[in-house]
Amino acid sequence: GESDGHGVISRMIKSKTSDRSYLFEIPHKQGFPNKSTKLRLACLALEEIFGRENLDLLFGSQDDDDDDDDTVGRQLAPAEPVSYLGGLLWTLETYRSGKCIDYGYNYGRKSSPSALELATLLEKRGGQKISRFDLIGDSDVAPLSDGMSCLAALPPQAHSILEEPYSWLVEPSSRANFEEMYNSCFSEGVFDSKSFADKCSKQILNLRSERQISKAESAKRRLTASTSSRGRHIQ
């Protein structure tokens, strides 16, 4: 993989048996090691060319190799067909109108319902017209900031693209605390975005204060060392 100098590592793969070629790109934060980014790029290319099912057969299940830290607390809750259908309508209406029509909707960590579960739900409705409001209602939840949205939505493998101060929360020294805080914002599989934003903001303030204190102490040590090295000349 080669970096384009703008935070993207790309890889061109040409087929030996046809004229087809593939271009894969992965975001990469400048100044961070390339190893993990190149590994994700390789996995993306292999999955696209061979297919996920064939990839598992050839190289073993990719899920088995995930770090324990990336999977803590991320088990799925049972499916909810009503909320799932509401989410489909929410998505269609958001794309149709060009704006998010309800920042409070959240399907959460739930499995997708089966076709049979969806068919049973529709049969119970008896052919009646169903709106998004009928399925999930409306809320007055305010949207998260862009940084908070990235923290809430990005998988751990993509945390390297976060900007400061949000990246402070997922640094190696803080990552375990962040995972615990993130998981605490779920109740019965539903994510509480307001609680998440409040907890993240509080932690960012604490980390900012710690960094300011550390910076001041470092400056004081440098000043003391500089003064001591000059010494005093007595005539």
Side-chain angles (χ1 to χ4, degrees), residues 50 53-60:
F50 293 105
E53 298 80 6
N54 294 327
L55 191 62
D56 289 346
L57 290 174
L58 289 170
F59 304 101

Side-chain angles (χ1 to χ4, degrees), residues 131-210:
S131 69
R132 175 187 56 83
F133 181 82
D134 294 330
L135 297 173
I136 60 174
D138 279 313
S139 70
D140 57 356
V141 175
L144 292 174
S145 66
D146 52 356
M148 290 293 182
S149 295
C150 289
L151 268 177
L154 286 175
Q157 296 87 344
H159 282 166
S160 61
I161 67 174
L162 287 168
E163 299 292 339
E164 293 185 353
Y166 306 102
S167 61
W168 298 347
L169 296 175
V170 293
E171 290 179 348
S173 59
S174 305
R175 183 172 178 180
N177 290 334
F178 173 77
E179 282 292 330
E180 182 179 353
M181 178 178 64
Y182 179 81
N183 292 327
S184 71
C185 295
F186 281 85
S187 176
E188 298 182 355
V190 177
F191 185 65
D192 186 340
S193 59
K194 185 179 185 306
S195 174
F196 177 76
D198 291 342
K199 291 180 179 180
C200 285
S201 297
K202 182 178 180 180
Q203 185 63 12
I204 286 174
L205 286 176
N206 292 337
L207 291 173
R208 190 186 301 276
S209 177
E210 291 175 3

Side-chain angles (χ1 to χ4, degrees), residues 87-118:
L88 293 180
L89 293 176
W90 177 91
T91 302
L92 290 171
E93 190 170 340
T94 296
Y95 275 96
R96 181 190 63 80
S97 64
K99 61 180 181 180
C100 179
I101 41 83
D102 184 359
Y103 289 102
Y105 173 73
N106 188 342
Y107 187 66
R109 292 176 177 167
K110 304 186 187 74
S111 302
S112 300
S114 66
L116 179 59
E117 289 175 309
L118 294 176

Side-chain angles (χ1 to χ4, degrees), residues 208-227:
R208 190 186 301 276
S209 177
E210 291 175 3
R211 285 167 179 260
Q212 290 175 343
I213 292 174
S214 177
K215 185 177 181 180
E217 290 178 346
S218 179
K220 183 178 179 180
R221 286 194 297 270
R222 288 197 301 270
L223 179 61
T224 301
S226 175
T227 302

